[in-house]
């Protein structure tokens, strides 16, 4: 590397470091807003966040950054440095291409849409939300056009959340999921099996749930010297490799909800914690976008937290924390945490299997809306038709139908698919881990999580954004991103649970 | 105002708003670091704070900001806008004049000095800290020279903390304090009175102290919807008018320490909360520097929290929280919280009266160091001589002497005087409030704090940085900043407590 190139690369890292640190500062402000901030703090916090966002935009659109990227792209860097330049360029390009005024309009329109959505949901009146949804679709179409006028706008928007997996690849995965899950759910419904869904009923005090969560996180190996657990209305995880925080929520009727949600967020946190300290502030120290992030949370939630082996280990702890549940068997616990309920209309409460159909439905609707193949006014009917077709159940209200999620009121079109992508990647990774780590089930049963944790850090976490999504999965599993592993896993698991024909 | 001027002023407010919001973001990051952050979060947090500091510096030194200020200074603005321009110019001028490289060197030298100071204090070895202190003095002298090569460097540095009160004015106040307090302390020592210093002895559980603090803050009128109370190793208060947080610390031997410290921080928070919402993000929505800020905390801590009337109201609450203290009289409580102990070597544990002598001593030493009238090597001896001369007691170790405070290891020279200035201004304000509000003592005794609170908001808080320090005090009290009110107050109070000749 020439001295000039080396100096340019150093300058790039300085600028990227500042950008990254400003982003992490914003994330901390958001964490505080959701976890600590007093009720009336919002006006100041909103302005602080918007100032940091403006600072970020100015740093990204600085002409000198563009020149550095031009020079470095032409300089013949090694693979690792080229990956850094690629990742910075992707962000810089969007920031430069989309006018600030449009970003601000979208932000203002989302604010208004959010208020309208809350009202519409509370009053079950889609008409209140519809004009805001139309406006946001229009603005986001224009946003996509600025980024690239020659491409499908939905494809462009999808890349906000999953920039490194082509949309047609993602769409193949979602189609495979639909084609496999719809008949599997039909078989389950037809089986009319009687699973032990009432294993954990009663009232479960929040402070005892909190103790159980801390014990569970201890047992999973969560490093408290680099994290914390707090309560938030919508659980999330955030932070850096030095400080990766988890939030959860306690429902006094349902300790298992909090437990699996905490294990899910633990999965996100392990990814953040597994990023290399010495690449902090560069793309090599940052997580590979939403699908891979979600693969880590789903792997821990579903493949660990919903496994029989996990319940052999953890059921005694749950019983100790809540003696009122009596003396359930591991089988009863396993059934309770895995029962499939197609009649559940609400995505965030859906089981591991039907969840995908909720996602496929949203994906198809938002894609068609963006492409102009569907009118906003038709959304409620199409939503309900698809619910009936995929899940055999029809919402009676839009509040429990197309108004249930906050995402569209944020203008987030293209986000939903990353949930299912994460889940199928989780299945692929878990299979690969099971092939590499002898007796993975026994390890889980013995409460020995380090080998799995280390394997994931070695294969996924430590690379940061070094590889693009499919390459990362292929390097680790030998396969492209695909629904196959999930479908095999689900077919076997639910076949056994529901006594289906193999 | 011409359209051009109006546009320039609008542009100024946009820039100042961004600056202010970036500063508030930094403050939140610092709050989190001291209150919430896990142990190993420091490397990331330091870089986030330093990125925000660099962003702030770039915003302040932007040529366009300088041009706007030039134009607006020439434009004949009204008083309020002129005050805004004056305040922004002050900050901008320092940022432009001091080279970034020097700021970074000071920051790096402080980091090293802090480590050396900790070691020096732990091992009672001034020699470990001395070279770092010399280096910081040298760097800060150079800093002052960049700001203004024609002025006394200590004067320039003092303005970092109290920019709007001339140093000779401050020095007059400190000299008056010394001349009045030294003989008063001598009289107290000579009186050999036996105050009820053992009124609150025993073990006081932290969680019960916490309950007492929350009750006390409720009773004082702290608005929880705009604040919170947490624990921090060194109590402080921070935030905005929308979100003004307090921290405290519990010592299981001493519930009164936490109580008065909490009332002190409540005073700071009332100032922040009293700043006008609609001026958030401009100098008119920001507090008038450290002396006035400290006047608010000292007024609540000393003139309210150490008053007989306060203890008539609050003693029953303390007894209820801690029945183990028995049934002390109000007089015994009043004596316990006001006893003077000249033999206490440690500033942060000092009583209301001798505290000033700790400050005068530090002020004289740091002023002489900066001016080159004192060598670093002489500091321990000079410190001890002054302790003996002012307080009649000589530290046996430097750990309890010149190594006790963290300030110099931060390179903070000129900070200490603002503590005493705040205290004398508090006495002036309390006299003025007592003259305006009939029966102020009775109001306190009745737990009616709103009138005092409203008076302070009206006279001080709502003006933000509109007036300079002395003008603000003169408008409110009819007097310049002076030690007289404090000296009269202390002479009467301690005369009564110690039975001194009137």
């Amino acid at each position: 590397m020439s001295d000039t190139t080396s100096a340019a690369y150093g300058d790039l890292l300085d600028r990227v470091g500042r950008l990254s640190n400003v982003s992490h500062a914003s994330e901390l402000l958001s964490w505080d807003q959701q976890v600590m901030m007093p009720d009336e703090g919002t006006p100041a916090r909103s302005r602080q966040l918007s100032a940091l966002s403006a600072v970020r935009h100015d740093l990204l659109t600085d002409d000198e950054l563009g020149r550095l990227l031009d020079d470095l792209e032409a300089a013949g860097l090694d693979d690792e440095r080229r990956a850094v330049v690629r990742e910075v360029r992707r962000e810089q390009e969007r920031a430069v291409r989309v006018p600030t005024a449009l970003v601000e309009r979208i932000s203002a329109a989302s604010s208004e849409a959010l208020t309208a959505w809350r009202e519409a949901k509370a009053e079950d009146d889609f008409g209140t939300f519809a004009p805001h949804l139309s406006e946001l679709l229009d603005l986001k179409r224009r946003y996509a056009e600025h980024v690239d006028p020659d491409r499908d706008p939905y494809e462009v928007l999808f890349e906000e959340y999953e920039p490194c997996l082509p949309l047609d690849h993602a769409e193949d995965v979602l189609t495979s999921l639909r084609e496999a899950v719809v008949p599997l759910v039909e078989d389950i419904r037809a089986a009319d099996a009687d699973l032990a869904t009432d294993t954990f009923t009663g009232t479960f005090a929040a402070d005892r749930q909190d103790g159980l969560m801390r014990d569970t996180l201890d047992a999973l190996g969560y490093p408290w010297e680099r994290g914390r657990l707090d309560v938030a209305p919508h659980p999330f995880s955030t932070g850096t490799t030095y400080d990766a925080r988890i939030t959860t929520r306690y429902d006094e009727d349902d300790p298992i909800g909090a437990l699996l949600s905490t294990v899910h967020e633990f999965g996100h946190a392990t990814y953040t914690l597994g990023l290399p300290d010495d690449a902090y502030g560069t793309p090599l120290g940052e997580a590979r976008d939403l699908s891979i992030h979600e693969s880590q949370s789903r792997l821990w939630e579903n493949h660990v937290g919903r496994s029989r082996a996990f319940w052999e280990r953890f059921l005694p702890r749950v019983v100790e924390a809540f003696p009122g549940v009596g003396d359930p068997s591991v089988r009863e616990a396993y059934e309770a945490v895995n029962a499939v309920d197609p009649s559940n209309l609400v995505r965030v409460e859906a089981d591991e299997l039907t969840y995908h159909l909720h996602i496929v439905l949203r994906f198809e609707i938002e894609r068609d809306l963006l492409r102009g193949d569907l009118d906003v006014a038709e959304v409620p009917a199409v939503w309900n038709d698809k619910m009936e077709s995929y899940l055999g159940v029809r919402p009676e209200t839009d509040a429990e139908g197309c108004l249930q999620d906050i995402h569209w009121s944020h203008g987030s079109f293209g986000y939903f698919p990353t949930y299912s992508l994460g889940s199928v990647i989780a299945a692929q990774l878990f299979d690969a881990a099971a092939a590499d780590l002898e007796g993975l089930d026994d390890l889980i049963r013995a409460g020995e999580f380090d080998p799995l944790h280390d394997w994931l850090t070695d294969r996924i976490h430590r690379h940061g954004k070094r590889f693009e999504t499919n390459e990362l999965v292929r390097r680790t599993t030998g396969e492209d991103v695909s629904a196959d592993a999930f479908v095999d896993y689900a077919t076997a698991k639910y076949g056994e649970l529901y006594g289906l024909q193999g």
Side-chain angles (χ1 to χ4, degrees), chain A residues 244-403:
Chain A
R245 304 179 183 189
I246 295 174
T247 64
T248 192
R249 176 178 53 181
Y250 301 120
D251 172 351
E252 299 221 326
D253 295 331
D254 175 22
I256 305 307
L259 184 67
L260 291 171
S261 168
T262 303
V263 174
H264 178 101
E265 301 305 335
F266 165 81
H268 281 302
T270 59
Y271 190 4
T272 308
L273 291 162
L275 296 166
D277 285 9
D278 59 9
Y280 174 80
T282 83
L284 301 177
E286 275 161 29
R288 175 77 287 160
D289 310 298
L290 294 186
S291 308
I292 297 291
H293 229 309
E294 193 73 7
S295 77
Q296 301 306 296
S297 56
R298 300 271 167 157
L299 186 148
W300 285 94
E301 177 189 353
N302 293 338
H303 296 271
V304 178
R306 293 186 204 269
S307 71
R308 208 167 341 212
F310 179 90
W311 284 94
E312 288 182 37
R313 181 81 189 168
F314 283 87
L315 181 57
R317 290 166 186 260
V318 175
V319 170
E320 194 188 350
F322 297 109
V325 302
D327 188 24
S329 68
V330 170
R331 177 72 193 184
E332 286 169 320
Y334 178 68
E335 288 185 6
V337 302
N338 286 295
V340 174
D341 179 10
S343 72
N344 195 327
L345 301 168
V346 179
R347 176 184 62 85
V348 296
E349 297 169 2
D351 56 81
E352 185 183 353
L353 189 64
T354 60
Y355 190 92
H356 290 297
L357 301 178
H358 292 272
I359 295 301
V360 167
L361 172 159
R362 286 155 178 74
F363 159 71
E364 291 170 347
I365 290 175
E366 64 184 17
R367 176 198 61 193
D368 293 350
L369 283 168
L370 258 305
R371 289 181 183 163
D373 297 340
L374 178 67
D375 284 345
V376 164
E378 298 172 283
V379 167
V382 170
W383 183 289
N384 293 348
D385 290 348
K386 284 183 188 282
M387 282 296 288
E388 198 158 356
S389 153
Y390 300 162
L391 286 156
V393 61
R394 196 171 181 93
E396 289 182 10
T397 67
D398 292 334
E400 286 186 312
C402 65
L403 289 171

Side-chain angles (χ1 to χ4, degrees), chain A residues 175-188 351-357 390-391 486-487 490:
Chain A
T175 304
S176 305
L177 275 174
R178 191 190 62 207
E179 289 171 354
V181 175
V182 169
L184 185 54
V185 170
E186 276 167 17
D187 289 349
I188 286 170
D351 56 81
E352 185 183 353
L353 189 64
T354 60
Y355 190 92
H356 290 297
L357 301 178
Y390 300 162
L391 286 156
F486 177 83
V487 170

Side-chain angles (χ1 to χ4, degrees), chain A residues 184-206:
Chain A
L184 185 54
V185 170
E186 276 167 17
D187 289 349
I188 286 170
R189 196 187 297 100
D192 201 21
D194 188 21
L195 266 58
T197 50
D198 60 354
T199 307
F200 304 104
T201 48
T203 301
F204 304 88

